[in-house]
Amino acid sequence: MPAQLLSQPNPPPDPSHIPDSILSLRVDVPKNVLSSNELDSIRRFRRAADYIAAAMIFLKSNTLVEEPIKPDDIKHRLLGHWGTCPGLVLVYAHLNAIITRTNLNSLLVVGPGHGAPAILACLWLENSLATFWPKYTRDRQGLSALIRGFSVPGGFPSHINAETPGSIHEGGELGYALSVSFGAVMDKPDLVVCCVVGDGEAESGPTATAWHAYKYIDPAESGAVLPIVHVNGFKISERTIYGCMDDKELTALFVGYGYQPRFVEELNDIDQDLASSMQWALDEIHKIQKAARSGNPIVKPRWPVLILRTPKGWSTIKSLHGEYIEGSFRSHQVPLPEAKNDPEERKMLQAWLESYKPSEVLPNGEPSEEVLSIIPKDKLKLGQKKEAYAAYEPIDVPAWIDHGVKKGTQESCMKVVGKFLNLVTHSNPTSFRIFSPDELVSNKLDAVLEDADSGRNFQWDPASRAKGGRVIEILSEHTCQGMLQGYTLTGRTGLFPSYEAFLGIVHTMMVQYSKFVKMAHETTWRQPVGSLNYLETSTWARQEHNGFSHQNPAFIGAVLDLKPSLARVYLPPDANCFLSTVAHCLRAKDYVNLMVGSKQPTPVWLSPEEADRHCIAGASIWKFASTDDGLEPDVVLVGIGVEVTFEVIAAAALLRKLVPQLRVRVVNVTDLMILGPQGSHPHALEDTDWDALFTGDGESDGKGRRYIHFNYHGYPVELKGLLFGRQGLERVTIEGYREEGTTTTALDMMLQNHTSRYHVAAAAIRGGAKVNKKVEVDAHEMISYVMHLAQKDREYIYANGADPEGTFDVPKFD
């Protein structure tokens, strides 16, 4: 069956076996909110917007159909998704009306982002397009430019994106609208985000979990989300799950989630139905908020949700070539795909567009007075809300250096950072939050939880209810990511700590967000936002207790693939460097920052002042581990990452004893992006600076570039790609995570992945032997001995279930 077989348009769901008594839990309201004038204005607004949306998909000229449509009036390629547009226009019109009536402070988040024609049409009617895109004036010329330019090179794309005024959500990938909405209202007590969730999107796992997100909303401190589930029954070629659920099943579902469901489905009186339902929902929101803000919060309040049932592609043609169009999947995209070449389809298009009576609602290409009467004032227009494009306020980041730890001690990077984040939360009680899919205690960031007002914000737990907590802990990476995006794009700053292995769950969400920010940079009117900050810990190198499933550093590669102007990857080698990096990232704007580090106690190599200079530079020669402070090396050993850097230091100490004639330079890289070829990234080293760190052709002894061995935390192929284009790569060797692991010991993880001190030492001897004859004569013997030591350690591990005593003592250099 290539597509859904239909016996009728807009088919009803089969009845369920749930008792009818469940319907007593759905909400009924009187349908009497709109005056006759308001009702007429809303209907005219809908006709105007529906007309513009449909015309955008088809027409390049004759944009007001003032004469018969000719083939040349129709675009060469028909792009767009009509099916969701009438429902989106319906919601937009009524949101306008209630804003005008109540001065509601609102944003609209659109899950079905492919309904861009509907949103762009409404933005043109309210004159928000012209505010940001002057060529789309609210007149005949501007309307023609909008219709002609949709989904063609140089015009608006087929999906909502950062070029769409009022948007805070990239509209391509489905599943995240709801969590983005909940993030947007956090710490904005006067904001109501109306979120349209399509019934296709409602099938996604991220949406299913995001329905729980209101349980993290304290109505005393935050705004509210009004979800509208748009059930039009179809996806591209099949019915939706929600479309096949009757009212009893949907009532049971949403009551179980904790909502009060209100069905909006009276098609003959849909405007009064939706207007009354929206007003009821707003009144319920205000009731819940008033109780919380007066000191008598409702425990487990039941928030409103509207379930809007309208036909797919409502108001388009009824049928074509014997197949249903309106009320079927065939209206999902372009209802008349051959209108340019088929006279019959062109005639049907003419009749369809004329059914909206554009001459009445768009006389001479301008909105009529009746249409304009429901449009809010500029500062309340959905397309001009500053929360969506100009709300960023930098947070107060304490001076980290005052909280540094003593050089030479052993400290957990995460424990030290946790104490610092506790200070950050106290300094920014309404503009900083932590969104964590893994328990902070497990990641050793639990210092954040020491105080109630910096702790958790789970409103269904009496221990954390109504205490102003800054931490959202929910075991859904998707929900955390969506909340973080909504929070960040409306002007605040957040942090996403996670087990390293599971950040990949939000890979595509992160990519979609970066696309949004990339396009935002290309507008003239979107102002900066805080960075998207990931703190990646519980890394593969110290997940020897959880095993192979928890060993995966692939998210580094995901960030490296982003636009260089957006991507930042940091692997601080110790607690002081991590403090410096966190402080920097929390202050940074418009980036995707990834910070990778260990939660286990590891040496503090650098003092706070040294760490500050090291992080500013992005890399430096560690003289204490190098021969003669790193002068005239035979080989350069590079550590990138906490544990692999320890192995480099351990290798340097071992070589000092076993091969004293080998001259070693040790370099640590904390900013991964410095390694790319000159000009490839804003942080990429100049060629002369690269040579100063890693040696160049003009070395004083005339032997040219030295061999470089990188001991890298991530997959070697990532580093190979990053280095491509640098000179002398034939002298570079790389080891990193080889996709080897199990439940074992920390040293065995290094041995299995060839990142151990022994593998580093062997690579150093091989490289040094190329330029130092004194090393060369004993190279084979010493390499064999070093790898013999590795084998002995591995035998000990498997015999005793532990690493040899002293394995992770701080290496000493005589």
Side-chain angles (χ1 to χ4, degrees), residues 540-542 643-644 647 711 745-757 759 808:
W540 67 266
R542 292 309 306 267
E643 292 86 1
V644 293
E647 295 301 307
N711 215 34
T745 71
L747 179 59
D748 191 38
M749 284 299 299
M750 296 291 120
L751 291 167
Q752 289 191 37
N753 289 282
H754 293 199
T755 53
S756 76
R757 61 204 67 184
H759 291 89
F808 293 106

Side-chain angles (χ1 to χ4, degrees), residues 44-90:
R44 287 174 179 267
F45 183 99
R46 288 176 55 206
R47 281 165 46 200
D50 282 347
Y51 172 81
I52 296 169
M56 287 166 69
I57 294 172
F58 289 94
L59 299 181
K60 65 176 182 177
S61 56
N62 188 20
T63 50
L64 289 171
V65 288
E66 294 166 310
E67 55 187 59
I69 298 174
K70 302 183 294 295
D72 286 347
D73 293 329
I74 297 177
K75 295 174 180 176
H76 294 289
R77 185 169 62 156
L78 301 181
L79 295 175
H81 294 74
W82 169 253
T84 191
C85 285
L88 293 179
V89 166
L90 177 66

Side-chain angles (χ1 to χ4, degrees), residues 515-534:
K515 291 178 183 292
F516 190 96
V517 175
K518 187 258 187 188
M519 296 309 300
H521 284 177
E522 297 180 12
T523 70
T524 59
W525 45 272
R526 281 199 183 264
Q527 295 184 15
V529 294
S531 294
L532 209 60
N533 299 306
Y534 297 101

Side-chain angles (χ1 to χ4, degrees), residues 2-61:
Q4 181 74 52
L5 299 178
L6 297 177
S7 59
Q8 66 179 92
N10 202 32
D14 290 334
S16 67
H17 299 288
I18 297 175
D20 291 347
S21 58
I22 191 72
L23 293 176
S24 64
L25 297 176
R26 69 181 178 182
V27 174
D28 290 319
V29 297
K31 303 180 186 67
N32 56 5
V33 168
L34 298 176
S35 68
S36 58
N37 287 339
E38 287 177 308
L39 182 60
D40 180 64
S41 294
I42 287 172
R43 287 173 175 168
R44 287 174 179 267
F45 183 99
R46 288 176 55 206
R47 281 165 46 200
D50 282 347
Y51 172 81
I52 296 169
M56 287 166 69
I57 294 172
F58 289 94
L59 299 181
K60 65 176 182 177
S61 56

